[in-house]
mmCIF file of all heavy atoms in Angstrom:
data_model
loop_
_atom_site.group_PDB
_atom_site.id
_atom_site.type_symbol
_atom_site.label_atom_id
_atom_site.label_comp_id
_atom_site.label_asym_id
_atom_site.label_seq_id
_atom_site.Cartn_x
_atom_site.Cartn_y
_atom_site.Cartn_z
ATOM 1 N N GLY A 7 0.746 -1.159 0.010
ATOM 2 C CA GLY A 7 0.015 0.029 -0.020
ATOM 3 C C GLY A 7 0.863 1.237 -0.078
ATOM 4 O O GLY A 7 1.994 1.288 0.301
ATOM 5 N N TRP A 8 0.181 2.313 -0.410
ATOM 6 C CA TRP A 8 0.673 3.677 -0.347
ATOM 7 C C TRP A 8 0.021 4.520 0.833
ATOM 8 O O TRP A 8 -1.259 4.457 0.847
ATOM 9 C CB TRP A 8 0.681 4.296 -1.663
ATOM 10 C CG TRP A 8 1.654 3.838 -2.621
ATOM 11 C CD1 TRP A 8 1.329 2.925 -3.606
ATOM 12 C CD2 TRP A 8 2.950 4.256 -2.860
ATOM 13 N NE1 TRP A 8 2.438 2.613 -4.289
ATOM 14 C CE2 TRP A 8 3.513 3.516 -3.897
ATOM 15 C CE3 TRP A 8 3.829 5.236 -2.318
ATOM 16 C CZ2 TRP A 8 4.831 3.620 -4.410
ATOM 17 C CZ3 TRP A 8 5.116 5.271 -2.755
ATOM 18 C CH2 TRP A 8 5.543 4.442 -3.875
ATOM 19 N N PHE A 9 0.752 5.154 1.598
ATOM 20 C CA PHE A 9 0.172 5.974 2.605
ATOM 21 C C PHE A 9 0.712 7.358 2.667
ATOM 22 O O PHE A 9 1.748 7.670 2.182
ATOM 23 C CB PHE A 9 0.548 5.397 4.072
ATOM 24 C CG PHE A 9 -0.153 4.008 4.268
ATOM 25 C CD1 PHE A 9 0.536 2.906 3.698
ATOM 26 C CD2 PHE A 9 -1.113 3.799 5.017
ATOM 27 C CE1 PHE A 9 0.003 1.611 3.898
ATOM 28 C CE2 PHE A 9 -1.677 2.546 5.313
ATOM 29 C CZ PHE A 9 -1.049 1.430 4.765
ATOM 30 N N ARG A 10 0.044 8.257 3.290
ATOM 31 C CA ARG A 10 0.560 9.626 3.525
ATOM 32 C C ARG A 10 -0.022 10.239 4.665
ATOM 33 O O ARG A 10 -1.005 9.755 5.272
ATOM 34 C CB ARG A 10 0.093 10.514 2.229
ATOM 35 C CG ARG A 10 -1.458 10.736 2.120
ATOM 36 C CD ARG A 10 -1.867 11.437 0.920
ATOM 37 N NE ARG A 10 -3.155 11.702 0.755
ATOM 38 C CZ ARG A 10 -3.794 12.363 -0.195
ATOM 39 N NH1 ARG A 10 -3.111 12.752 -1.174
ATOM 40 N NH2 ARG A 10 -5.141 12.526 -0.182
ATOM 41 N N GLN A 11 0.855 11.324 5.167
ATOM 42 C CA GLN A 11 0.281 11.825 6.463
ATOM 43 C C GLN A 11 0.877 13.294 6.329
ATOM 44 O O GLN A 11 2.091 13.617 6.503
ATOM 45 C CB GLN A 11 1.022 11.201 7.790
ATOM 46 C CG GLN A 11 0.485 11.838 8.878
ATOM 47 C CD GLN A 11 0.969 10.917 10.152
ATOM 48 O OE1 GLN A 11 1.897 10.182 10.148
ATOM 49 N NE2 GLN A 11 0.366 11.157 11.361
ATOM 50 N N ALA A 12 -0.168 14.103 6.104
ATOM 51 C CA ALA A 12 0.166 15.572 6.053
ATOM 52 C C ALA A 12 0.261 16.153 7.505
ATOM 53 O O ALA A 12 -0.180 15.617 8.522
ATOM 54 C CB ALA A 12 -0.966 16.301 5.359
ATOM 55 N N PRO A 13 1.008 17.240 7.609
ATOM 56 C CA PRO A 13 1.247 17.999 8.931
ATOM 57 C C PRO A 13 -0.147 18.018 9.627
ATOM 58 O O PRO A 13 -0.981 18.798 9.078
ATOM 59 C CB PRO A 13 1.944 19.133 8.585
ATOM 60 C CG PRO A 13 2.726 18.868 7.288
ATOM 61 C CD PRO A 13 1.701 17.943 6.501
ATOM 62 N N GLY A 14 -0.283 17.759 10.829
ATOM 63 C CA GLY A 14 -1.420 17.984 11.645
ATOM 64 C C GLY A 14 -2.641 17.055 11.326
ATOM 65 O O GLY A 14 -3.734 17.305 11.875
ATOM 66 N N LYS A 15 -2.483 16.091 10.404
ATOM 67 C CA LYS A 15 -3.509 15.332 10.080
ATOM 68 C C LYS A 15 -3.122 13.769 10.325
ATOM 69 O O LYS A 15 -2.001 13.505 10.551
ATOM 70 C CB LYS A 15 -3.893 15.436 8.552
ATOM 71 C CG LYS A 15 -4.236 16.756 8.215
ATOM 72 C CD LYS A 15 -4.710 16.872 6.855
ATOM 73 C CE LYS A 15 -5.381 18.164 6.418
ATOM 74 N NZ LYS A 15 -5.642 18.236 4.985
ATOM 75 N N GLU A 16 -4.179 12.923 10.366
ATOM 76 C CA GLU A 16 -3.978 11.420 10.632
ATOM 77 C C GLU A 16 -3.435 10.848 9.373
ATOM 78 O O GLU A 16 -3.661 11.358 8.262
ATOM 79 C CB GLU A 16 -5.302 10.869 11.041
ATOM 80 C CG GLU A 16 -5.812 11.255 12.338
ATOM 81 C CD GLU A 16 -4.979 10.807 13.436
ATOM 82 O OE1 GLU A 16 -4.528 9.769 13.516
ATOM 83 O OE2 GLU A 16 -4.732 11.685 14.370
ATOM 84 N N ARG A 17 -2.666 9.749 9.527
ATOM 85 C CA ARG A 17 -2.085 9.030 8.493
ATOM 86 C C ARG A 17 -3.311 8.487 7.700
ATOM 87 O O ARG A 17 -4.312 7.862 8.215
ATOM 88 C CB ARG A 17 -1.328 7.795 8.929
ATOM 89 C CG ARG A 17 -0.620 7.086 7.877
ATOM 90 C CD ARG A 17 0.385 6.051 8.436
ATOM 91 N NE ARG A 17 -0.325 5.066 9.051
ATOM 92 C CZ ARG A 17 0.266 4.228 9.930
ATOM 93 N NH1 ARG A 17 1.590 4.185 10.081
ATOM 94 N NH2 ARG A 17 -0.493 3.181 10.513
ATOM 95 N N GLU A 18 -3.193 8.578 6.362
ATOM 96 C CA GLU A 18 -4.205 8.138 5.404
ATOM 97 C C GLU A 18 -3.724 7.028 4.501
ATOM 98 O O GLU A 18 -2.608 7.237 3.930
ATOM 99 C CB GLU A 18 -4.736 9.445 4.617
ATOM 100 C CG GLU A 18 -5.767 8.959 3.508
ATOM 101 C CD GLU A 18 -6.123 10.134 2.650
ATOM 102 O OE1 GLU A 18 -5.359 11.122 2.497
ATOM 103 O OE2 GLU A 18 -7.399 9.992 2.129
ATOM 104 N N ARG A 19 -4.457 5.960 4.395
ATOM 105 C CA ARG A 19 -4.008 4.955 3.322
ATOM 106 C C ARG A 19 -4.517 5.379 1.989
ATOM 107 O O ARG A 19 -5.766 5.483 1.752
ATOM 108 C CB ARG A 19 -4.578 3.657 3.654
ATOM 109 C CG ARG A 19 -4.046 2.428 2.928
ATOM 110 C CD ARG A 19 -4.651 1.109 3.168
ATOM 111 N NE ARG A 19 -5.983 1.009 2.433
ATOM 112 C CZ ARG A 19 -6.854 0.067 2.661
ATOM 113 N NH1 ARG A 19 -6.569 -0.952 3.592
ATOM 114 N NH2 ARG A 19 -7.989 -0.013 1.971
ATOM 115 N N VAL A 20 -3.680 5.620 1.124
ATOM 116 C CA VAL A 20 -4.007 6.111 -0.234
ATOM 117 C C VAL A 20 -4.381 4.915 -1.088
ATOM 118 O O VAL A 20 -5.436 5.121 -1.913
ATOM 119 C CB VAL A 20 -2.812 6.801 -0.904
ATOM 120 C CG1 VAL A 20 -3.053 7.306 -2.358
ATOM 121 C CG2 VAL A 20 -2.428 8.040 0.061
ATOM 122 N N SER A 21 -3.734 3.836 -1.206
ATOM 123 C CA SER A 21 -4.054 2.739 -2.049
ATOM 124 C C SER A 21 -3.535 1.446 -1.267
ATOM 125 O O SER A 21 -2.661 1.472 -0.415
ATOM 126 C CB SER A 21 -3.433 2.986 -3.371
ATOM 127 O OG SER A 21 -2.071 2.848 -3.276
ATOM 128 N N CYS A 22 -3.955 0.420 -1.837
ATOM 129 C CA CYS A 22 -3.475 -0.969 -1.395
ATOM 130 C C CYS A 22 -3.866 -2.075 -2.407
ATOM 131 O O CYS A 22 -5.011 -1.995 -2.982
ATOM 132 C CB CYS A 22 -4.160 -1.412 0.019
ATOM 133 S SG CYS A 22 -3.237 -2.844 0.720
ATOM 134 N N ILE A 23 -2.980 -2.937 -2.595
ATOM 135 C CA ILE A 23 -3.074 -3.928 -3.556
ATOM 136 C C ILE A 23 -2.801 -5.314 -2.831
ATOM 137 O O ILE A 23 -1.811 -5.438 -2.208
ATOM 138 C CB ILE A 23 -2.210 -3.920 -4.745
ATOM 139 C CG1 ILE A 23 -2.318 -2.576 -5.648
ATOM 140 C CG2 ILE A 23 -2.324 -5.114 -5.703
ATOM 141 C CD1 ILE A 23 -1.235 -2.439 -6.647
ATOM 142 N N GLU A 24 -3.953 -6.193 -2.873
ATOM 143 C CA GLU A 24 -3.734 -7.423 -2.038
ATOM 144 C C GLU A 24 -3.104 -8.553 -2.998
ATOM 145 O O GLU A 24 -2.998 -8.353 -4.223
ATOM 146 C CB GLU A 24 -5.150 -7.829 -1.621
ATOM 147 C CG GLU A 24 -5.729 -6.761 -0.547
ATOM 148 C CD GLU A 24 -7.148 -7.078 -0.082
ATOM 149 O OE1 GLU A 24 -7.896 -7.605 -0.900
ATOM 150 O OE2 GLU A 24 -7.349 -6.856 1.145
ATOM 151 N N ILE A 25 -2.954 -9.651 -2.351
ATOM 152 C CA ILE A 25 -2.266 -10.739 -3.034
ATOM 153 C C ILE A 25 -2.982 -11.246 -4.326
ATOM 154 O O ILE A 25 -2.374 -11.825 -5.269
ATOM 155 C CB ILE A 25 -1.788 -12.009 -2.147
ATOM 156 C CG1 ILE A 25 -3.034 -12.503 -1.423
ATOM 157 C CG2 ILE A 25 -0.720 -11.464 -1.159
ATOM 158 C CD1 ILE A 25 -2.768 -13.791 -0.651
ATOM 159 N N ASP A 26 -4.296 -11.182 -4.202
ATOM 160 C CA ASP A 26 -5.117 -11.572 -5.371
ATOM 161 C C ASP A 26 -5.352 -10.406 -6.450
ATOM 162 O O ASP A 26 -6.153 -10.558 -7.273
ATOM 163 C CB ASP A 26 -6.588 -12.018 -4.889
ATOM 164 C CG ASP A 26 -7.362 -10.940 -4.221
ATOM 165 O OD1 ASP A 26 -6.878 -9.777 -3.964
ATOM 166 O OD2 ASP A 26 -8.553 -11.237 -3.790
ATOM 167 N N SER A 27 -4.603 -9.389 -6.278
ATOM 168 C CA SER A 27 -4.616 -8.128 -7.188
ATOM 169 C C SER A 27 -5.778 -7.257 -6.885
ATOM 170 O O SER A 27 -5.935 -6.295 -7.788
ATOM 171 C CB SER A 27 -4.471 -8.678 -8.606
ATOM 172 O OG SER A 27 -3.304 -9.120 -8.855
ATOM 173 N N SER A 28 -6.566 -7.500 -6.043
ATOM 174 C CA SER A 28 -7.652 -6.550 -5.704
ATOM 175 C C SER A 28 -7.065 -5.208 -5.223
ATOM 176 O O SER A 28 -6.059 -5.200 -4.417
ATOM 177 C CB SER A 28 -8.482 -7.031 -4.556
ATOM 178 O OG SER A 28 -9.274 -8.188 -4.959
ATOM 179 N N THR A 29 -7.567 -4.044 -5.764
ATOM 180 C CA THR A 29 -7.018 -2.716 -5.574
ATOM 181 C C THR A 29 -7.942 -1.865 -4.947
ATOM 182 O O THR A 29 -9.091 -1.894 -5.373
ATOM 183 C CB THR A 29 -6.456 -2.160 -6.867
ATOM 184 O OG1 THR A 29 -5.506 -3.018 -7.623
ATOM 185 C CG2 THR A 29 -5.783 -0.871 -6.664
ATOM 186 N N HIS A 30 -7.507 -1.159 -3.961
ATOM 187 C CA HIS A 30 -8.358 -0.176 -3.159
ATOM 188 C C HIS A 30 -7.738 1.173 -3.164
ATOM 189 O O HIS A 30 -6.566 1.330 -3.142
ATOM 190 C CB HIS A 30 -8.608 -0.594 -1.748
ATOM 191 C CG HIS A 30 -8.919 -2.108 -1.633
ATOM 192 N ND1 HIS A 30 -10.202 -2.501 -1.606
ATOM 193 C CD2 HIS A 30 -8.188 -3.268 -1.499
ATOM 194 C CE1 HIS A 30 -10.207 -3.789 -1.515
ATOM 195 N NE2 HIS A 30 -9.059 -4.255 -1.417
ATOM 196 N N LEU A 31 -8.592 2.183 -3.448
ATOM 197 C CA LEU A 31 -8.213 3.456 -3.554
ATOM 198 C C LEU A 31 -8.940 4.453 -2.489
ATOM 199 O O LEU A 31 -10.134 3.999 -2.248
ATOM 200 C CB LEU A 31 -8.249 4.138 -4.844
ATOM 201 C CG LEU A 31 -7.381 3.655 -5.915
ATOM 202 C CD1 LEU A 31 -7.795 4.303 -7.163
ATOM 203 C CD2 LEU A 31 -5.956 4.135 -5.647
ATOM 204 N N ALA A 32 -8.301 5.379 -1.809
ATOM 205 C CA ALA A 32 -9.019 6.143 -0.964
ATOM 206 C C ALA A 32 -9.950 7.055 -1.683
ATOM 207 O O ALA A 32 -9.677 7.475 -2.921
ATOM 208 C CB ALA A 32 -8.031 7.205 -0.149
ATOM 209 N N ASP A 33 -10.995 7.471 -1.240
ATOM 210 C CA ASP A 33 -12.071 8.350 -1.841
ATOM 211 C C ASP A 33 -11.367 9.646 -2.211
ATOM 212 O O ASP A 33 -11.852 10.277 -3.253
ATOM 213 C CB ASP A 33 -13.240 8.741 -0.949
ATOM 214 C CG ASP A 33 -14.106 7.386 -0.655
ATOM 215 O OD1 ASP A 33 -13.954 6.448 -1.470
ATOM 216 O OD2 ASP A 33 -14.963 7.391 0.345
ATOM 217 N N SER A 34 -10.488 10.184 -1.514
ATOM 218 C CA SER A 34 -9.827 11.441 -1.702
ATOM 219 C C SER A 34 -8.988 11.486 -2.951
ATOM 220 O O SER A 34 -8.637 12.500 -3.537
ATOM 221 C CB SER A 34 -8.868 11.791 -0.453
ATOM 222 O OG SER A 34 -7.974 10.885 -0.317
ATOM 223 N N VAL A 35 -8.689 10.181 -3.385
ATOM 224 C CA VAL A 35 -7.767 10.169 -4.667
ATOM 225 C C VAL A 35 -8.353 9.427 -5.789
ATOM 226 O O VAL A 35 -7.790 9.418 -6.967
ATOM 227 C CB VAL A 35 -6.351 9.546 -4.310
ATOM 228 C CG1 VAL A 35 -5.689 10.368 -3.244
ATOM 229 C CG2 VAL A 35 -6.494 8.082 -3.937
ATOM 230 N N ARG A 36 -9.426 8.787 -5.558
ATOM 231 C CA ARG A 36 -10.084 8.074 -6.726
ATOM 232 C C ARG A 36 -10.418 8.852 -7.829
ATOM 233 O O ARG A 36 -11.026 9.994 -7.765
ATOM 234 C CB ARG A 36 -11.396 7.412 -6.095
ATOM 235 C CG ARG A 36 -11.996 6.405 -7.122
ATOM 236 C CD ARG A 36 -13.103 5.482 -6.439
ATOM 237 N NE ARG A 36 -12.678 4.681 -5.345
ATOM 238 C CZ ARG A 36 -12.875 4.952 -4.106
ATOM 239 N NH1 ARG A 36 -13.693 6.000 -3.627
ATOM 240 N NH2 ARG A 36 -12.418 4.098 -3.184
ATOM 241 N N GLY A 37 -10.075 8.423 -8.952
ATOM 242 C CA GLY A 37 -10.283 9.160 -10.207
ATOM 243 C C GLY A 37 -9.000 9.914 -10.639
ATOM 244 O O GLY A 37 -8.916 10.497 -11.742
ATOM 245 N N ARG A 38 -8.085 10.153 -9.651
ATOM 246 C CA ARG A 38 -6.867 10.918 -9.968
ATOM 247 C C ARG A 38 -5.629 10.078 -9.844
ATOM 248 O O ARG A 38 -4.744 10.178 -10.531
ATOM 249 C CB ARG A 38 -6.707 12.162 -8.927
ATOM 250 C CG ARG A 38 -7.975 13.021 -9.146
ATOM 251 C CD ARG A 38 -7.659 14.366 -8.344
ATOM 252 N NE ARG A 38 -7.531 14.103 -6.850
ATOM 253 C CZ ARG A 38 -6.462 14.300 -6.055
ATOM 254 N NH1 ARG A 38 -5.433 14.911 -6.594
ATOM 255 N NH2 ARG A 38 -6.468 14.015 -4.765
ATOM 256 N N PHE A 39 -5.619 9.039 -8.851
ATOM 257 C CA PHE A 39 -4.458 8.274 -8.618
ATOM 258 C C PHE A 39 -4.692 6.950 -9.187
ATOM 259 O O PHE A 39 -5.690 6.385 -9.160
ATOM 260 C CB PHE A 39 -4.136 8.174 -7.151
ATOM 261 C CG PHE A 39 -3.579 9.438 -6.503
ATOM 262 C CD1 PHE A 39 -3.614 10.671 -7.212
ATOM 263 C CD2 PHE A 39 -3.016 9.571 -5.260
ATOM 264 C CE1 PHE A 39 -3.208 11.893 -6.686
ATOM 265 C CE2 PHE A 39 -2.599 10.580 -4.573
ATOM 266 C CZ PHE A 39 -2.565 11.738 -5.407
ATOM 267 N N THR A 40 -3.574 6.100 -9.627
ATOM 268 C CA THR A 40 -3.676 4.796 -9.914
ATOM 269 C C THR A 40 -2.433 3.948 -9.334
ATOM 270 O O THR A 40 -1.336 4.413 -9.442
ATOM 271 C CB THR A 40 -3.567 4.660 -11.488
ATOM 272 O OG1 THR A 40 -4.609 5.434 -12.173
ATOM 273 C CG2 THR A 40 -3.682 3.239 -11.920
ATOM 274 N N ALA A 41 -2.900 2.978 -8.625
ATOM 275 C CA ALA A 41 -1.856 2.113 -8.015
ATOM 276 C C ALA A 41 -1.578 0.870 -8.741
ATOM 277 O O ALA A 41 -2.529 0.324 -9.409
ATOM 278 C CB ALA A 41 -2.288 1.652 -6.597
ATOM 279 N N SER A 42 -0.470 0.369 -8.864
ATOM 280 C CA SER A 42 -0.121 -0.718 -9.656
ATOM 281 C C SER A 42 1.183 -1.425 -9.138
ATOM 282 O O SER A 42 1.840 -0.837 -8.209
ATOM 283 C CB SER A 42 0.080 -0.519 -11.145
ATOM 284 O OG SER A 42 1.194 0.378 -11.409
ATOM 285 N N ARG A 43 1.370 -2.669 -9.440
ATOM 286 C CA ARG A 43 2.605 -3.280 -9.089
ATOM 287 C C ARG A 43 3.129 -4.182 -10.277
ATOM 288 O O ARG A 43 2.279 -4.624 -11.134
ATOM 289 C CB ARG A 43 2.447 -4.081 -7.876
ATOM 290 C CG ARG A 43 1.457 -5.271 -7.945
ATOM 291 C CD ARG A 43 1.339 -6.136 -6.808
ATOM 292 N NE ARG A 43 0.424 -7.184 -6.955
ATOM 293 C CZ ARG A 43 0.103 -7.978 -5.835
ATOM 294 N NH1 ARG A 43 0.648 -8.056 -4.740
ATOM 295 N NH2 ARG A 43 -0.771 -8.937 -6.037
ATOM 296 N N ASP A 44 4.359 -4.510 -10.316
ATOM 297 C CA ASP A 44 4.982 -5.352 -11.309
ATOM 298 C C ASP A 44 5.790 -6.278 -10.445
ATOM 299 O O ASP A 44 6.848 -6.076 -9.947
ATOM 300 C CB ASP A 44 5.965 -4.404 -12.148
ATOM 301 C CG ASP A 44 6.544 -5.268 -13.352
ATOM 302 O OD1 ASP A 44 6.772 -6.429 -13.138
ATOM 303 O OD2 ASP A 44 6.696 -4.745 -14.469
ATOM 304 N N LYS A 45 5.355 -7.502 -10.444
ATOM 305 C CA LYS A 45 5.998 -8.636 -9.580
ATOM 306 C C LYS A 45 7.271 -8.912 -10.245
ATOM 307 O O LYS A 45 8.252 -9.308 -9.447
ATOM 308 C CB LYS A 45 5.030 -9.803 -9.546
ATOM 309 C CG LYS A 45 3.787 -9.646 -8.923
ATOM 310 C CD LYS A 45 2.881 -10.916 -8.906
ATOM 311 C CE LYS A 45 1.605 -10.672 -8.215
ATOM 312 N NZ LYS A 45 0.726 -11.832 -8.226
ATOM 313 N N ALA A 46 7.430 -9.042 -11.486
ATOM 314 C CA ALA A 46 8.683 -9.372 -12.139
ATOM 315 C C ALA A 46 9.790 -8.516 -11.824
ATOM 316 O O ALA A 46 11.018 -8.692 -11.580
ATOM 317 C CB ALA A 46 8.418 -9.441 -13.683
ATOM 318 N N LYS A 47 9.580 -7.029 -11.744
ATOM 319 C CA LYS A 47 10.465 -6.063 -11.538
ATOM 320 C C LYS A 47 10.619 -5.785 -9.996
ATOM 321 O O LYS A 47 11.442 -5.016 -9.582
ATOM 322 C CB LYS A 47 10.057 -4.680 -12.253
ATOM 323 C CG LYS A 47 10.085 -4.827 -13.803
ATOM 324 C CD LYS A 47 9.682 -3.629 -14.443
ATOM 325 C CE LYS A 47 9.893 -3.692 -15.864
ATOM 326 N NZ LYS A 47 9.584 -2.391 -16.531
ATOM 327 N N LYS A 48 9.750 -6.406 -9.296
ATOM 328 C CA LYS A 48 9.638 -6.175 -7.763
ATOM 329 C C LYS A 48 9.525 -4.671 -7.469
ATOM 330 O O LYS A 48 10.191 -4.123 -6.585
ATOM 331 C CB LYS A 48 11.046 -6.744 -7.059
ATOM 332 C CG LYS A 48 11.027 -8.165 -7.106
ATOM 333 C CD LYS A 48 12.333 -8.792 -6.320
ATOM 334 C CE LYS A 48 12.357 -10.197 -6.311
ATOM 335 N NZ LYS A 48 13.425 -10.779 -5.413
ATOM 336 N N MET A 49 8.481 -4.053 -8.037
ATOM 337 C CA MET A 49 8.218 -2.643 -7.901
ATOM 338 C C MET A 49 6.775 -2.371 -7.780
ATOM 339 O O MET A 49 5.962 -3.168 -8.385
ATOM 340 C CB MET A 49 8.820 -1.924 -9.065
ATOM 341 C CG MET A 49 10.329 -1.932 -9.127
ATOM 342 S SD MET A 49 10.954 -0.725 -10.367
ATOM 343 C CE MET A 49 10.739 0.788 -9.312
ATOM 344 N N ALA A 50 6.412 -1.421 -7.031
ATOM 345 C CA ALA A 50 5.066 -0.923 -7.022
ATOM 346 C C ALA A 50 5.036 0.554 -7.391
ATOM 347 O O ALA A 50 6.197 1.214 -7.274
ATOM 348 C CB ALA A 50 4.358 -1.101 -5.567
ATOM 349 N N TYR A 51 3.983 1.091 -7.889
ATOM 350 C CA TYR A 51 3.873 2.275 -8.307
ATOM 351 C C TYR A 51 2.554 3.081 -8.009
ATOM 352 O O TYR A 51 1.580 2.458 -7.657
ATOM 353 C CB TYR A 51 3.753 2.423 -9.930
ATOM 354 C CG TYR A 51 4.955 1.638 -10.575
ATOM 355 C CD1 TYR A 51 4.792 0.247 -10.800
ATOM 356 C CD2 TYR A 51 6.228 2.272 -10.766
ATOM 357 C CE1 TYR A 51 5.842 -0.525 -11.423
ATOM 358 C CE2 TYR A 51 7.282 1.587 -11.339
ATOM 359 C CZ TYR A 51 7.049 0.282 -11.664
ATOM 360 O OH TYR A 51 8.161 -0.461 -12.335
#
């Protein structure tokens, strides 16, 4: 997952991808952010 914490605010989960590739996005970023991962490259984006 990707997280963020702005000054003076609670930590927010921006996105998360589960082992079955189910992807979740926070309401605050839905439509603007896209989460992905590349298992072969061992990277998440």
Side-chain angles (χ1 to χ4, degrees):
W8 288 93
F9 295 79
R10 65 185 183 184
Q11 186 171 19
K15 296 184 178 180
E16 295 294 317
R17 186 175 66 193
E18 178 185 24
R19 194 185 77 188
V20 177
S21 69
C22 191
I23 302 175
E24 298 178 320
I25 57 174
D26 64 356
S27 297
S28 295
T29 303
H30 310 272
L31 289 170
D33 290 343
S34 59
V35 304
R36 189 171 294 110
R38 298 188 298 123
F39 291 11
T40 304
S42 62
R43 65 177 176 179
D44 188 326
K45 296 178 182 179
K47 295 181 179 179
K48 293 187 174 182
M49 298 189 72
Y51 306 94

